[in-house]
Amino acid sequence: MSKGRTTREHILKTAFELASKDGLDSLTIGQLAKASGMSKSGLFAHFNSKENLQIAVLEYTGEYFSYRVIQPARQVAPKNIETKLRLLLQNWLDWNQSFQGSCMFLDAWKDSCVSQDPVQQTLTDITRRWLNYLCRQVDKAKQSGEFKAGLDTWQFVYQLYGVYLSSHLFRSLSLETAEHQRFWIGIDTLFDASRK
């Protein structure tokens, strides 16, 4: 790896840690310069603006999400799609709990964002990739006969995401167990309905 690439990797890792703790919006060139041991001018040479920095951090986080959530489920070679989905979900929960703050994707999302906002567009693209990946797994489960053929794939993923978001909220309010009991009951109910 070249020195420039190594430096950029160090910057993005540091930026990721800061944004995970304090939120993407709070990430500044000055704060990152202090944390990474670099000058502001050196960081500007890499990113040119706070917006470009935020986009780079989101892209880095998307790659890290794939490494932490998707790749381990692929490497296990699960016996069926439901087992793979459960591994993905466990990895997803672990991902969210592994930060000092919370999931950067959830914290950075703005419902009222302007569609041309490059930062929000990057976040939208990353989120859609994850949702599409989940849809492909559900479609495979339908094709294999694990889930009923008439199952509405997007509705399934919608409900699955809803259970995840509910667990995230309930955990922050101390209304969810450390083992995510409410989450897994919700997932079991969703899977049971998908097999009938």
Side-chain angles (χ1 to χ4, degrees):
M1 188 181 287
S2 69
K3 185 180 180 208
R5 188 175 172 90
T6 301
T7 301
R8 187 177 174 87
E9 183 77 13
H10 167 68
I11 294 167
L12 288 174
K13 184 176 184 297
T14 305
F16 167 79
E17 290 167 357
L18 290 171
S20 294
K21 181 182 176 187
D22 301 321
L24 189 66
D25 279 344
S26 70
L27 183 64
T28 65
I29 297 283
Q31 178 192 34
L32 181 56
K34 185 176 180 181
S36 65
M38 293 190 64
S39 66
K40 287 185 183 181
S41 59
L43 289 175
F44 270 112
H46 279 276
F47 303 105
N48 298 316
S49 70
K50 179 179 176 179
E51 180 178 271
N52 287 342
L53 170 62
Q54 289 177 328
I55 289 169
V57 172
L58 282 173
E59 290 171 345
Y60 175 89
T61 306
E63 291 171 11
Y64 191 43
F65 179 88
S66 178
Y67 172 77
R68 290 273 308 274
V69 176
I70 297 173
Q71 289 183 29
R74 284 179 174 159
Q75 291 168 351
V76 169
K79 60 183 179 180
N80 55 39
I81 300 301
E82 182 175 334
T83 302
K84 183 177 182 181
L85 279 167
R86 287 179 180 276
L87 285 170
L88 287 166
L89 295 174
Q90 182 61 62
N91 294 344
W92 195 13
L93 289 172
D94 292 345
W95 158 268
N96 191 42
Q97 297 302 314
S98 64
F99 308 118
Q100 291 178 322
S102 61
C103 178
M104 187 188 314
F105 298 132
L106 293 177
D107 287 343
W109 193 267
K110 292 182 177 64
D111 288 335
S112 60
C113 71
V114 179
S115 60
Q116 288 80 17
D117 179 325
V119 174
Q120 288 298 307
Q121 189 55 57
T122 301
L123 181 57
T124 297
D125 292 345
I126 292 167
T127 304
R128 282 191 176 275
R129 279 200 301 269
W130 173 231
L131 295 176
N132 287 331
Y133 182 79
L134 290 172
C135 279
R136 286 196 300 275
Q137 306 316 303
V138 175
D139 284 339
K140 287 178 184 177
K142 287 162 62 176
Q143 291 162 9
S144 70
E146 291 176 58
F147 290 166
K148 57 189 177 187
L151 179 68
D152 183 329
T153 299
W154 274 108
Q155 185 63 33
F156 179 95
V157 172
Y158 173 87
Q159 290 174 282
L160 188 154
Y161 214 100
V163 173
Y164 173 78
L165 291 175
S166 295
S167 180
H168 178 74
L169 174 64
F170 273 55
R171 182 108 167 113
S172 69
L173 296 171
S174 300
L175 296 171
E176 171 68 292
T177 67
E179 297 78 25
H180 302 279
Q181 185 177 1
R182 294 184 192 280
F183 174 82
W184 289 113
I185 289 171
I187 293 300
D188 288 343
T189 301
L190 181 59
F191 282 13
D192 287 345
S194 302
R195 286 191 289 263
K196 292 177 182 174

mmCIF file of all heavy atoms in Angstrom, residues 42-57:
data_model
loop_
_atom_site.group_PDB
_atom_site.id
_atom_site.type_symbol
_atom_site.label_atom_id
_atom_site.label_comp_id
_atom_site.label_asym_id
_atom_site.label_seq_id
_atom_site.Cartn_x
_atom_site.Cartn_y
_atom_site.Cartn_z
ATOM 1 N N GLY A 42 -3.075 19.723 5.363
ATOM 2 C CA GLY A 42 -2.866 18.361 4.857
ATOM 3 C C GLY A 42 -4.178 17.645 4.608
ATOM 4 O O GLY A 42 -4.341 16.937 3.609
ATOM 5 N N LEU A 43 -5.138 17.845 5.509
ATOM 6 C CA LEU A 43 -6.458 17.235 5.334
ATOM 7 C C LEU A 43 -7.207 17.856 4.158
ATOM 8 O O LEU A 43 -7.880 17.159 3.399
ATOM 9 C CB LEU A 43 -7.279 17.366 6.619
ATOM 10 C CG LEU A 43 -6.820 16.488 7.782
ATOM 11 C CD1 LEU A 43 -7.634 16.789 9.033
ATOM 12 C CD2 LEU A 43 -6.935 15.020 7.434
ATOM 13 N N PHE A 44 -7.095 19.168 4.010
ATOM 14 C CA PHE A 44 -7.735 19.822 2.868
ATOM 15 C C PHE A 44 -7.167 19.304 1.550
ATOM 16 O O PHE A 44 -7.879 19.193 0.550
ATOM 17 C CB PHE A 44 -7.589 21.344 2.952
ATOM 18 C CG PHE A 44 -8.709 22.018 3.680
ATOM 19 C CD1 PHE A 44 -8.493 22.625 4.904
ATOM 20 C CD2 PHE A 44 -9.997 22.043 3.154
ATOM 21 C CE1 PHE A 44 -9.525 23.242 5.596
ATOM 22 C CE2 PHE A 44 -11.037 22.659 3.834
ATOM 23 C CZ PHE A 44 -10.807 23.262 5.055
ATOM 24 N N ALA A 45 -5.878 18.981 1.561
ATOM 25 C CA ALA A 45 -5.265 18.431 0.348
ATOM 26 C C ALA A 45 -5.902 17.094 -0.024
ATOM 27 O O ALA A 45 -6.010 16.748 -1.211
ATOM 28 C CB ALA A 45 -3.762 18.258 0.560
ATOM 29 N N HIS A 46 -6.359 16.345 0.973
ATOM 30 C CA HIS A 46 -7.003 15.049 0.713
ATOM 31 C C HIS A 46 -8.466 15.190 0.317
ATOM 32 O O HIS A 46 -8.962 14.440 -0.531
ATOM 33 C CB HIS A 46 -6.916 14.154 1.960
ATOM 34 C CG HIS A 46 -5.610 13.464 2.118
ATOM 35 N ND1 HIS A 46 -5.298 12.280 1.483
ATOM 36 C CD2 HIS A 46 -4.521 13.792 2.854
ATOM 37 C CE1 HIS A 46 -4.079 11.904 1.809
ATOM 38 N NE2 HIS A 46 -3.582 12.799 2.642
ATOM 39 N N PHE A 47 -9.178 16.154 0.928
ATOM 40 C CA PHE A 47 -10.647 16.190 0.771
ATOM 41 C C PHE A 47 -11.216 17.485 0.205
ATOM 42 O O PHE A 47 -12.321 17.487 -0.332
ATOM 43 C CB PHE A 47 -11.313 15.899 2.125
ATOM 44 C CG PHE A 47 -10.897 14.584 2.710
ATOM 45 C CD1 PHE A 47 -10.011 14.544 3.782
ATOM 46 C CD2 PHE A 47 -11.361 13.386 2.191
ATOM 47 C CE1 PHE A 47 -9.608 13.326 4.324
ATOM 48 C CE2 PHE A 47 -10.963 12.167 2.723
ATOM 49 C CZ PHE A 47 -10.083 12.142 3.790
ATOM 50 N N ASN A 48 -10.525 18.590 0.348
ATOM 51 C CA ASN A 48 -10.937 19.899 -0.181
ATOM 52 C C ASN A 48 -12.131 20.544 0.515
ATOM 53 O O ASN A 48 -12.321 21.740 0.401
ATOM 54 C CB ASN A 48 -11.222 19.849 -1.694
ATOM 55 C CG ASN A 48 -9.993 19.457 -2.484
ATOM 56 O OD1 ASN A 48 -8.911 19.958 -2.207
ATOM 57 N ND2 ASN A 48 -10.158 18.563 -3.444
ATOM 58 N N SER A 49 -12.958 19.782 1.201
ATOM 59 C CA SER A 49 -14.120 20.360 1.883
ATOM 60 C C SER A 49 -14.657 19.384 2.921
ATOM 61 O O SER A 49 -14.381 18.179 2.869
ATOM 62 C CB SER A 49 -15.240 20.672 0.880
ATOM 63 O OG SER A 49 -15.811 19.480 0.378
ATOM 64 N N LYS A 50 -15.445 19.925 3.853
ATOM 65 C CA LYS A 50 -16.086 19.084 4.863
ATOM 66 C C LYS A 50 -17.048 18.098 4.199
ATOM 67 O O LYS A 50 -17.139 16.935 4.614
ATOM 68 C CB LYS A 50 -16.832 19.961 5.870
ATOM 69 C CG LYS A 50 -17.554 19.163 6.949
ATOM 70 C CD LYS A 50 -18.271 20.053 7.947
ATOM 71 C CE LYS A 50 -19.053 19.208 8.940
ATOM 72 N NZ LYS A 50 -19.743 20.030 9.958
ATOM 73 N N GLU A 51 -17.744 18.553 3.165
ATOM 74 C CA GLU A 51 -18.697 17.681 2.460
ATOM 75 C C GLU A 51 -17.993 16.471 1.850
ATOM 76 O O GLU A 51 -18.449 15.336 2.000
ATOM 77 C CB GLU A 51 -19.419 18.476 1.380
ATOM 78 C CG GLU A 51 -20.431 17.660 0.590
ATOM 79 C CD GLU A 51 -21.141 18.514 -0.439
ATOM 80 O OE1 GLU A 51 -22.179 19.103 -0.106
ATOM 81 O OE2 GLU A 51 -20.628 18.596 -1.585
ATOM 82 N N ASN A 52 -16.860 16.713 1.193
ATOM 83 C CA ASN A 52 -16.097 15.600 0.603
ATOM 84 C C ASN A 52 -15.584 14.652 1.679
ATOM 85 O O ASN A 52 -15.535 13.433 1.481
ATOM 86 C CB ASN A 52 -14.926 16.129 -0.228
ATOM 87 C CG ASN A 52 -15.369 16.754 -1.529
ATOM 88 O OD1 ASN A 52 -16.491 16.524 -1.997
ATOM 89 N ND2 ASN A 52 -14.517 17.566 -2.113
ATOM 90 N N LEU A 53 -15.196 15.213 2.813
ATOM 91 C CA LEU A 53 -14.751 14.389 3.939
ATOM 92 C C LEU A 53 -15.902 13.500 4.416
ATOM 93 O O LEU A 53 -15.714 12.297 4.624
ATOM 94 C CB LEU A 53 -14.256 15.275 5.090
ATOM 95 C CG LEU A 53 -13.988 14.577 6.425
ATOM 96 C CD1 LEU A 53 -12.886 13.529 6.277
ATOM 97 C CD2 LEU A 53 -13.635 15.606 7.496
ATOM 98 N N GLN A 54 -17.086 14.072 4.593
ATOM 99 C CA GLN A 54 -18.231 13.298 5.060
ATOM 100 C C GLN A 54 -18.590 12.189 4.075
ATOM 101 O O GLN A 54 -18.892 11.071 4.490
ATOM 102 C CB GLN A 54 -19.433 14.229 5.279
ATOM 103 C CG GLN A 54 -19.275 15.133 6.470
ATOM 104 C CD GLN A 54 -20.430 16.085 6.637
ATOM 105 O OE1 GLN A 54 -21.046 16.530 5.675
ATOM 106 N NE2 GLN A 54 -20.753 16.411 7.884
ATOM 107 N N ILE A 55 -18.532 12.484 2.792
ATOM 108 C CA ILE A 55 -18.823 11.468 1.777
ATOM 109 C C ILE A 55 -17.799 10.335 1.854
ATOM 110 O O ILE A 55 -18.146 9.158 1.824
ATOM 111 C CB ILE A 55 -18.849 12.096 0.369
ATOM 112 C CG1 ILE A 55 -20.092 12.983 0.219
ATOM 113 C CG2 ILE A 55 -18.826 11.015 -0.720
ATOM 114 C CD1 ILE A 55 -20.100 13.847 -1.019
ATOM 115 N N ALA A 56 -16.525 10.702 1.979
ATOM 116 C CA ALA A 56 -15.462 9.689 2.073
ATOM 117 C C ALA A 56 -15.645 8.823 3.322
ATOM 118 O O ALA A 56 -15.441 7.602 3.280
ATOM 119 C CB ALA A 56 -14.090 10.366 2.083
ATOM 120 N N VAL A 57 -16.051 9.445 4.433
ATOM 121 C CA VAL A 57 -16.271 8.688 5.668
ATOM 122 C C VAL A 57 -17.453 7.737 5.506
ATOM 123 O O VAL A 57 -17.398 6.577 5.936
ATOM 124 C CB VAL A 57 -16.492 9.639 6.872
ATOM 125 C CG1 VAL A 57 -16.912 8.854 8.105
ATOM 126 C CG2 VAL A 57 -15.227 10.421 7.161
#
